[in-house]
Amino acid sequence: MKSVCYWSFLFLVSLDAWSQSIEVEYDKKRDFTIYKTFRFGESQITTPADQKQIKDEVLNRWIVQGITRELEMKGLTKSDSSADLVVSYAEGTLARTDNQALGPLALTPGANPDRNFRFEYRQSSLIIDLNDRNGNLIWRVNSTTNMTTAEAERTIDAVIERGFKKFAKPHKKKKK
């Protein structure tokens, strides 16, 4: 029974550590269907040099391809010059470690009760902004995810897909 409690505890800790947060901010009254073109503005990757596991060029390519794919699926066209929307993003990843005291779970009598569970992972933040021609922020995707290097591209795609899920859908008019 004690080992079931021990493994259940580890499972819950790992779920918490692998959680992700994606928040989307936008004006719910704005008609996004009026925007037809987009281009990329200045963006940045802020992962410390000693913690980089993926080259900036690769991360940039994954992010730009994901955003381009989503916006083109929404009916927008990528433009290199003047565009209705300017896309910018900031991405940063840090190595993190969570320590949890296990206490006396699954221990034999007389064992040291000060055992700790240590979980190492990488926490990444990706913020994507869409600004109109006047520089006004009209859409923001703000995400924090925990990822492994092997799943980084898939995690970035998932964040972008969820972040733009409601973009360019005509807003519902209230019935009179």
Short mmCIF file of all heavy atoms in Angstrom, two decimals, residues 10-62:
data_model
loop_
_atom_site.label_atom_id
_atom_site.label_comp_id
_atom_site.label_asym_id
_atom_site.label_seq_id
_atom_site.Cartn_x
_atom_site.Cartn_y
_atom_site.Cartn_z
N LEU A 10 4.52 10.61 -6.77
CA LEU A 10 5.46 10.95 -7.84
C LEU A 10 4.72 11.31 -9.13
O LEU A 10 5.11 12.23 -9.84
CB LEU A 10 6.43 9.80 -8.10
CG LEU A 10 7.47 9.56 -7.02
CD1 LEU A 10 8.36 8.37 -7.40
CD2 LEU A 10 8.30 10.79 -6.78
N PHE A 11 3.64 10.60 -9.43
CA PHE A 11 2.85 10.90 -10.63
C PHE A 11 2.24 12.30 -10.54
O PHE A 11 2.29 13.07 -11.50
CB PHE A 11 1.76 9.85 -10.81
CG PHE A 11 0.85 10.11 -11.98
CD1 PHE A 11 1.31 9.92 -13.27
CD2 PHE A 11 -0.44 10.56 -11.78
CE1 PHE A 11 0.49 10.17 -14.35
CE2 PHE A 11 -1.26 10.82 -12.85
CZ PHE A 11 -0.80 10.62 -14.15
N LEU A 12 1.68 12.66 -9.39
CA LEU A 12 1.08 13.98 -9.23
C LEU A 12 2.13 15.09 -9.31
O LEU A 12 1.91 16.13 -9.90
CB LEU A 12 0.32 14.07 -7.91
CG LEU A 12 -0.95 13.23 -7.84
CD1 LEU A 12 -1.54 13.27 -6.43
CD2 LEU A 12 -1.97 13.69 -8.86
N VAL A 13 3.30 14.85 -8.72
CA VAL A 13 4.38 15.83 -8.80
C VAL A 13 4.81 16.02 -10.24
O VAL A 13 5.01 17.13 -10.71
CB VAL A 13 5.58 15.40 -7.91
CG1 VAL A 13 6.81 16.23 -8.21
CG2 VAL A 13 5.19 15.52 -6.44
N SER A 14 4.93 14.91 -10.98
CA SER A 14 5.37 15.03 -12.38
C SER A 14 4.31 15.71 -13.22
O SER A 14 4.64 16.47 -14.13
CB SER A 14 5.73 13.66 -12.95
OG SER A 14 4.59 12.84 -13.06
N LEU A 15 3.03 15.48 -12.96
CA LEU A 15 1.98 16.19 -13.70
C LEU A 15 2.08 17.68 -13.46
O LEU A 15 1.97 18.48 -14.39
CB LEU A 15 0.59 15.70 -13.29
CG LEU A 15 0.10 14.41 -13.91
CD1 LEU A 15 -1.29 14.09 -13.36
CD2 LEU A 15 0.08 14.48 -15.41
N ASP A 16 2.30 18.07 -12.20
CA ASP A 16 2.43 19.47 -11.88
C ASP A 16 3.65 20.07 -12.58
O ASP A 16 3.60 21.18 -13.10
CB ASP A 16 2.54 19.65 -10.37
CG ASP A 16 2.63 21.11 -9.99
OD1 ASP A 16 1.76 21.88 -10.42
OD2 ASP A 16 3.56 21.46 -9.26
N ALA A 17 4.73 19.35 -12.61
CA ALA A 17 5.95 19.87 -13.21
C ALA A 17 5.83 19.98 -14.73
O ALA A 17 6.46 20.83 -15.33
CB ALA A 17 7.12 18.95 -12.86
N TRP A 18 5.03 19.14 -15.35
CA TRP A 18 4.90 19.17 -16.81
C TRP A 18 3.71 19.98 -17.28
O TRP A 18 3.34 19.95 -18.45
CB TRP A 18 4.81 17.75 -17.37
CG TRP A 18 6.13 17.08 -17.31
CD1 TRP A 18 6.58 16.23 -16.36
CD2 TRP A 18 7.21 17.25 -18.22
NE1 TRP A 18 7.87 15.86 -16.62
CE2 TRP A 18 8.28 16.47 -17.76
CE3 TRP A 18 7.39 18.01 -19.38
CZ2 TRP A 18 9.49 16.42 -18.42
CZ3 TRP A 18 8.59 17.94 -20.04
CH2 TRP A 18 9.62 17.15 -19.54
N SER A 19 3.09 20.71 -16.38
CA SER A 19 1.92 21.50 -16.75
C SER A 19 2.32 22.66 -17.65
O SER A 19 3.47 23.04 -17.72
CB SER A 19 1.22 22.02 -15.50
OG SER A 19 2.08 22.88 -14.81
N GLN A 20 1.33 23.19 -18.34
CA GLN A 20 1.61 24.35 -19.17
C GLN A 20 0.50 25.36 -18.99
O GLN A 20 -0.61 25.02 -18.63
CB GLN A 20 1.78 23.97 -20.63
CG GLN A 20 0.57 23.38 -21.30
CD GLN A 20 0.88 23.00 -22.74
OE1 GLN A 20 2.02 23.03 -23.17
NE2 GLN A 20 -0.12 22.62 -23.47
N SER A 21 0.85 26.59 -19.25
CA SER A 21 -0.10 27.68 -19.12
C SER A 21 -0.08 28.47 -20.42
O SER A 21 0.98 28.90 -20.87
CB SER A 21 0.34 28.57 -17.95
OG SER A 21 -0.28 29.82 -18.02
N ILE A 22 -1.26 28.62 -21.03
CA ILE A 22 -1.37 29.42 -22.24
C ILE A 22 -2.52 30.40 -22.04
O ILE A 22 -3.66 29.99 -21.83
CB ILE A 22 -1.64 28.54 -23.48
CG1 ILE A 22 -0.50 27.55 -23.68
CG2 ILE A 22 -1.82 29.41 -24.72
CD1 ILE A 22 -0.72 26.56 -24.78
N GLU A 23 -2.21 31.68 -22.08
CA GLU A 23 -3.22 32.72 -21.93
C GLU A 23 -3.28 33.52 -23.22
O GLU A 23 -2.25 33.85 -23.80
CB GLU A 23 -2.87 33.64 -20.77
CG GLU A 23 -2.86 32.94 -19.43
CD GLU A 23 -2.42 33.85 -18.30
OE1 GLU A 23 -2.38 35.09 -18.49
OE2 GLU A 23 -2.11 33.33 -17.22
N VAL A 24 -4.49 33.81 -23.65
CA VAL A 24 -4.68 34.61 -24.86
C VAL A 24 -5.45 35.86 -24.48
O VAL A 24 -6.49 35.78 -23.84
CB VAL A 24 -5.46 33.80 -25.93
CG1 VAL A 24 -5.67 34.63 -27.18
CG2 VAL A 24 -4.74 32.50 -26.26
N GLU A 25 -4.90 37.00 -24.87
CA GLU A 25 -5.54 38.28 -24.58
C GLU A 25 -5.88 38.95 -25.92
O GLU A 25 -5.03 39.03 -26.80
CB GLU A 25 -4.58 39.18 -23.80
CG GLU A 25 -4.10 38.59 -22.50
CD GLU A 25 -2.96 39.39 -21.90
OE1 GLU A 25 -2.95 40.63 -22.06
OE2 GLU A 25 -2.07 38.77 -21.31
N TYR A 26 -7.13 39.40 -26.04
CA TYR A 26 -7.55 40.11 -27.25
C TYR A 26 -8.86 40.82 -26.98
O TYR A 26 -9.55 40.54 -25.99
CB TYR A 26 -7.70 39.16 -28.44
CG TYR A 26 -8.76 38.08 -28.26
CD1 TYR A 26 -10.04 38.25 -28.78
CD2 TYR A 26 -8.48 36.91 -27.58
CE1 TYR A 26 -11.02 37.28 -28.62
CE2 TYR A 26 -9.44 35.93 -27.42
CZ TYR A 26 -10.70 36.12 -27.93
OH TYR A 26 -11.66 35.16 -27.77
N ASP A 27 -9.20 41.75 -27.84
CA ASP A 27 -10.45 42.49 -27.74
C ASP A 27 -11.55 41.63 -28.35
O ASP A 27 -11.58 41.40 -29.55
CB ASP A 27 -10.32 43.82 -28.49
CG ASP A 27 -11.58 44.66 -28.41
OD1 ASP A 27 -12.57 44.23 -27.78
OD2 ASP A 27 -11.57 45.76 -28.98
N LYS A 28 -12.45 41.15 -27.53
CA LYS A 28 -13.50 40.25 -27.99
C LYS A 28 -14.52 40.93 -28.91
O LYS A 28 -15.28 40.27 -29.59
CB LYS A 28 -14.19 39.61 -26.80
CG LYS A 28 -13.28 38.64 -26.06
CD LYS A 28 -13.94 38.09 -24.82
CE LYS A 28 -13.13 37.06 -24.11
NZ LYS A 28 -11.83 37.42 -23.64
N LYS A 29 -14.50 42.25 -28.96
CA LYS A 29 -15.43 42.97 -29.83
C LYS A 29 -14.82 43.32 -31.18
O LYS A 29 -15.51 43.79 -32.07
CB LYS A 29 -15.89 44.25 -29.12
CG LYS A 29 -16.70 43.96 -27.87
CD LYS A 29 -17.10 45.23 -27.19
CE LYS A 29 -17.87 44.90 -25.91
NZ LYS A 29 -18.24 46.10 -25.18
N ARG A 30 -13.54 43.10 -31.34
CA ARG A 30 -12.85 43.44 -32.59
C ARG A 30 -13.14 42.39 -33.66
O ARG A 30 -13.19 41.20 -33.39
CB ARG A 30 -11.35 43.53 -32.36
CG ARG A 30 -10.58 44.00 -33.59
CD ARG A 30 -9.09 44.06 -33.32
NE ARG A 30 -8.73 45.08 -32.36
CZ ARG A 30 -8.26 46.28 -32.70
NH1 ARG A 30 -8.08 46.60 -33.95
NH2 ARG A 30 -7.96 47.16 -31.78
N ASP A 31 -13.33 42.84 -34.87
CA ASP A 31 -13.53 41.94 -36.01
C ASP A 31 -12.17 41.65 -36.64
O ASP A 31 -11.60 42.47 -37.34
CB ASP A 31 -14.47 42.59 -37.04
CG ASP A 31 -14.71 41.70 -38.24
OD1 ASP A 31 -14.33 40.51 -38.21
OD2 ASP A 31 -15.30 42.20 -39.21
N PHE A 32 -11.63 40.47 -36.38
CA PHE A 32 -10.31 40.11 -36.87
C PHE A 32 -10.33 39.67 -38.33
O PHE A 32 -9.27 39.48 -38.93
CB PHE A 32 -9.70 39.01 -35.99
CG PHE A 32 -9.40 39.50 -34.60
CD1 PHE A 32 -10.28 39.25 -33.56
CD2 PHE A 32 -8.26 40.22 -34.34
CE1 PHE A 32 -10.02 39.71 -32.29
CE2 PHE A 32 -7.99 40.69 -33.07
CZ PHE A 32 -8.87 40.44 -32.04
N THR A 33 -11.50 39.51 -38.90
CA THR A 33 -11.59 39.09 -40.30
C THR A 33 -11.19 40.22 -41.25
O THR A 33 -10.99 39.98 -42.43
CB THR A 33 -13.00 38.59 -40.64
OG1 THR A 33 -13.94 39.65 -40.42
CG2 THR A 33 -13.37 37.38 -39.80
N ILE A 34 -11.04 41.44 -40.75
CA ILE A 34 -10.65 42.56 -41.62
C ILE A 34 -9.15 42.52 -41.95
O ILE A 34 -8.72 43.15 -42.90
CB ILE A 34 -11.00 43.93 -40.99
CG1 ILE A 34 -10.21 44.16 -39.69
CG2 ILE A 34 -12.49 44.05 -40.77
CD1 ILE A 34 -10.32 45.56 -39.14
N TYR A 35 -8.38 41.76 -41.18
CA TYR A 35 -6.95 41.68 -41.42
C TYR A 35 -6.68 40.62 -42.48
O TYR A 35 -7.13 39.48 -42.37
CB TYR A 35 -6.20 41.36 -40.12
CG TYR A 35 -6.45 42.40 -39.06
CD1 TYR A 35 -7.23 42.13 -37.95
CD2 TYR A 35 -5.91 43.68 -39.20
CE1 TYR A 35 -7.46 43.10 -36.99
CE2 TYR A 35 -6.14 44.65 -38.24
CZ TYR A 35 -6.92 44.36 -37.14
OH TYR A 35 -7.17 45.32 -36.19
N LYS A 36 -5.91 40.99 -43.50
CA LYS A 36 -5.66 40.10 -44.63
C LYS A 36 -4.20 39.72 -44.80
O LYS A 36 -3.90 38.69 -45.40
CB LYS A 36 -6.16 40.74 -45.94
CG LYS A 36 -7.62 41.13 -45.92
CD LYS A 36 -8.50 39.93 -45.77
CE LYS A 36 -9.98 40.35 -45.77
NZ LYS A 36 -10.84 39.34 -45.21
N THR A 37 -3.28 40.54 -44.30
CA THR A 37 -1.85 40.28 -44.49
C THR A 37 -1.10 40.40 -43.17
O THR A 37 -1.55 41.08 -42.25
CB THR A 37 -1.23 41.25 -45.50
OG1 THR A 37 -1.42 42.59 -45.04
CG2 THR A 37 -1.86 41.09 -46.89
N PHE A 38 0.06 39.74 -43.09
CA PHE A 38 0.91 39.85 -41.91
C PHE A 38 2.37 39.78 -42.33
O PHE A 38 2.70 39.30 -43.41
CB PHE A 38 0.60 38.73 -40.90
CG PHE A 38 1.03 37.36 -41.35
CD1 PHE A 38 2.25 36.82 -40.95
CD2 PHE A 38 0.21 36.59 -42.17
CE1 PHE A 38 2.65 35.56 -41.35
CE2 PHE A 38 0.60 35.33 -42.57
CZ PHE A 38 1.82 34.81 -42.17
N ARG A 39 3.21 40.30 -41.47
CA ARG A 39 4.66 40.20 -41.66
C ARG A 39 5.29 40.06 -40.28
O ARG A 39 4.65 40.33 -39.26
CB ARG A 39 5.21 41.41 -42.39
CG ARG A 39 5.16 42.71 -41.62
CD ARG A 39 5.84 43.87 -42.37
NE ARG A 39 5.74 45.09 -41.64
CZ ARG A 39 6.57 45.47 -40.67
NH1 ARG A 39 7.57 44.69 -40.32
NH2 ARG A 39 6.40 46.62 -40.04
N PHE A 40 6.54 39.64 -40.26
CA PHE A 40 7.25 39.49 -39.00
C PHE A 40 8.07 40.73 -38.71
O PHE A 40 8.75 41.26 -39.58
CB PHE A 40 8.14 38.25 -39.02
CG PHE A 40 7.36 36.98 -38.87
CD1 PHE A 40 6.83 36.35 -39.99
CD2 PHE A 40 7.11 36.44 -37.63
CE1 PHE A 40 6.08 35.20 -39.86
CE2 PHE A 40 6.36 35.29 -37.48
CZ PHE A 40 5.84 34.67 -38.60
N GLY A 41 7.97 41.20 -37.48
CA GLY A 41 8.78 42.33 -37.01
C GLY A 41 9.94 41.79 -36.20
O GLY A 41 10.36 40.64 -36.37
N GLU A 42 10.44 42.61 -35.29
CA GLU A 42 11.57 42.19 -34.46
C GLU A 42 11.11 41.20 -33.40
O GLU A 42 10.06 41.35 -32.80
CB GLU A 42 12.19 43.40 -33.79
CG GLU A 42 12.91 44.32 -34.75
CD GLU A 42 13.68 45.40 -34.05
OE1 GLU A 42 14.19 45.16 -32.93
OE2 GLU A 42 13.78 46.49 -34.63
N SER A 43 11.93 40.19 -33.20
CA SER A 43 11.66 39.17 -32.19
C SER A 43 12.96 38.84 -31.49
O SER A 43 14.04 39.23 -31.95
CB SER A 43 11.06 37.93 -32.85
OG SER A 43 9.82 38.25 -33.43
N GLN A 44 12.85 38.13 -30.38
CA GLN A 44 14.07 37.79 -29.65
C GLN A 44 13.97 36.44 -28.96
O GLN A 44 12.89 36.01 -28.58
CB GLN A 44 14.40 38.87 -28.63
CG GLN A 44 13.33 39.11 -27.59
CD GLN A 44 13.69 40.25 -26.66
OE1 GLN A 44 14.85 40.64 -26.56
NE2 GLN A 44 12.71 40.78 -25.96
N ILE A 45 15.11 35.81 -28.84
CA ILE A 45 15.24 34.57 -28.08
C ILE A 45 16.21 34.88 -26.95
O ILE A 45 17.34 35.33 -27.19
CB ILE A 45 15.76 33.42 -28.97
CG1 ILE A 45 14.72 33.13 -30.07
CG2 ILE A 45 16.05 32.18 -28.14
CD1 ILE A 45 15.13 32.11 -31.09
N THR A 46 15.77 34.68 -25.70
CA THR A 46 16.54 35.14 -24.55
C THR A 46 17.09 34.03 -23.68
O THR A 46 17.39 34.26 -22.52
CB THR A 46 15.66 36.07 -23.69
OG1 THR A 46 14.52 35.33 -23.24
CG2 THR A 46 15.23 37.30 -24.45
N THR A 47 17.24 32.84 -24.22
CA THR A 47 17.81 31.74 -23.45
C THR A 47 19.28 32.05 -23.16
O THR A 47 20.02 32.40 -24.08
CB THR A 47 17.70 30.42 -24.23
OG1 THR A 47 16.32 30.18 -24.52
CG2 THR A 47 18.26 29.25 -23.44
N PRO A 48 19.72 31.93 -21.89
CA PRO A 48 21.13 32.19 -21.59
C PRO A 48 22.05 31.27 -22.41
O PRO A 48 21.73 30.10 -22.62
CB PRO A 48 21.24 31.87 -20.08
CG PRO A 48 19.84 32.01 -19.56
CD PRO A 48 18.95 31.61 -20.69
N ALA A 49 23.16 31.80 -22.84
CA ALA A 49 24.08 31.06 -23.72
C ALA A 49 24.53 29.73 -23.11
O ALA A 49 24.65 28.73 -23.81
CB ALA A 49 25.29 31.92 -24.04
N ASP A 50 24.73 29.69 -21.78
CA ASP A 50 25.20 28.45 -21.15
C ASP A 50 24.10 27.40 -21.00
O ASP A 50 24.37 26.27 -20.61
CB ASP A 50 25.83 28.75 -19.80
CG ASP A 50 24.85 29.31 -18.79
OD1 ASP A 50 23.86 29.98 -19.21
OD2 ASP A 50 25.05 29.10 -17.58
N GLN A 51 22.83 27.76 -21.30
CA GLN A 51 21.73 26.82 -21.16
C GLN A 51 21.10 26.45 -22.50
O GLN A 51 20.11 25.72 -22.53
CB GLN A 51 20.66 27.41 -20.23
CG GLN A 51 21.14 27.57 -18.82
CD GLN A 51 20.05 27.99 -17.88
OE1 GLN A 51 18.87 27.79 -18.14
NE2 GLN A 51 20.43 28.60 -16.77
N LYS A 52 21.64 26.93 -23.59
CA LYS A 52 21.07 26.64 -24.90
C LYS A 52 21.31 25.18 -25.28
O LYS A 52 22.43 24.70 -25.22
CB LYS A 52 21.66 27.55 -25.97
CG LYS A 52 21.19 28.96 -25.83
CD LYS A 52 21.63 29.83 -26.96
CE LYS A 52 21.13 31.25 -26.66
NZ LYS A 52 21.29 32.13 -27.75
N GLN A 53 20.23 24.50 -25.64
CA GLN A 53 20.32 23.14 -26.13
C GLN A 53 19.90 23.07 -27.59
O GLN A 53 20.15 22.08 -28.25
CB GLN A 53 19.47 22.21 -25.28
CG GLN A 53 20.00 22.07 -23.87
CD GLN A 53 19.23 21.07 -23.06
OE1 GLN A 53 18.11 20.71 -23.37
NE2 GLN A 53 19.85 20.59 -21.99
N ILE A 54 19.22 24.11 -28.04
CA ILE A 54 18.76 24.20 -29.42
C ILE A 54 19.26 25.53 -29.96
O ILE A 54 19.14 26.55 -29.28
CB ILE A 54 17.22 24.12 -29.51
CG1 ILE A 54 16.72 22.81 -28.91
CG2 ILE A 54 16.76 24.26 -30.95
CD1 ILE A 54 15.22 22.73 -28.76
N LYS A 55 19.78 25.53 -31.15
CA LYS A 55 20.30 26.77 -31.73
C LYS A 55 19.17 27.76 -31.95
O LYS A 55 18.04 27.38 -32.28
CB LYS A 55 20.98 26.47 -33.07
CG LYS A 55 22.25 25.68 -32.93
CD LYS A 55 22.89 25.46 -34.28
CE LYS A 55 24.17 24.67 -34.12
NZ LYS A 55 24.85 24.45 -35.40
N ASP A 56 19.49 29.05 -31.79
CA ASP A 56 18.51 30.11 -31.98
C ASP A 56 17.88 30.05 -33.37
O ASP A 56 16.68 30.29 -33.52
CB ASP A 56 19.14 31.49 -31.77
CG ASP A 56 19.46 31.78 -30.31
OD1 ASP A 56 19.09 30.96 -29.45
OD2 ASP A 56 20.07 32.82 -30.05
N GLU A 57 18.68 29.75 -34.39
CA GLU A 57 18.16 29.69 -35.76
C GLU A 57 17.09 28.61 -35.90
O GLU A 57 16.10 28.79 -36.60
CB GLU A 57 19.28 29.41 -36.77
CG GLU A 57 20.39 30.43 -36.79
CD GLU A 57 21.43 30.24 -35.67
OE1 GLU A 57 21.66 29.10 -35.20
OE2 GLU A 57 21.99 31.26 -35.24
N VAL A 58 17.29 27.49 -35.22
CA VAL A 58 16.31 26.39 -35.28
C VAL A 58 15.03 26.79 -34.56
O VAL A 58 13.93 26.61 -35.08
CB VAL A 58 16.91 25.10 -34.68
CG1 VAL A 58 15.86 23.99 -34.60
CG2 VAL A 58 18.12 24.64 -35.49
N LEU A 59 15.15 27.35 -33.35
CA LEU A 59 13.96 27.82 -32.62
C LEU A 59 13.21 28.87 -33.42
O LEU A 59 11.97 28.82 -33.52
CB LEU A 59 14.36 28.41 -31.26
CG LEU A 59 14.56 27.45 -30.13
CD1 LEU A 59 15.06 28.19 -28.89
CD2 LEU A 59 13.31 26.69 -29.82
N ASN A 60 13.94 29.82 -33.99
CA ASN A 60 13.32 30.86 -34.79
C ASN A 60 12.55 30.24 -35.96
O ASN A 60 11.41 30.62 -36.24
CB ASN A 60 14.38 31.84 -35.30
CG ASN A 60 13.77 32.98 -36.07
OD1 ASN A 60 12.95 33.72 -35.55
ND2 ASN A 60 14.15 33.11 -37.32
N ARG A 61 13.16 29.29 -36.64
CA ARG A 61 12.50 28.64 -37.77
C ARG A 61 11.21 27.93 -37.34
O ARG A 61 10.17 28.07 -37.97
CB ARG A 61 13.45 27.65 -38.45
CG ARG A 61 12.85 27.02 -39.71
CD ARG A 61 13.81 26.08 -40.43
NE ARG A 61 14.03 24.89 -39.62
CZ ARG A 61 15.20 24.45 -39.21
NH1 ARG A 61 16.30 25.12 -39.50
NH2 ARG A 61 15.29 23.35 -38.48
N TRP A 62 11.27 27.19 -36.22
CA TRP A 62 10.08 26.49 -35.73
C TRP A 62 8.96 27.46 -35.39
O TRP A 62 7.79 27.23 -35.72
CB TRP A 62 10.41 25.66 -34.50
CG TRP A 62 11.26 24.47 -34.75
CD1 TRP A 62 11.53 23.86 -35.96
CD2 TRP A 62 11.96 23.72 -33.77
NE1 TRP A 62 12.37 22.79 -35.77
CE2 TRP A 62 12.65 22.68 -34.43
CE3 TRP A 62 12.10 23.83 -32.40
CZ2 TRP A 62 13.43 21.75 -33.77
CZ3 TRP A 62 12.88 22.91 -31.74
CH2 TRP A 62 13.54 21.87 -32.41
#
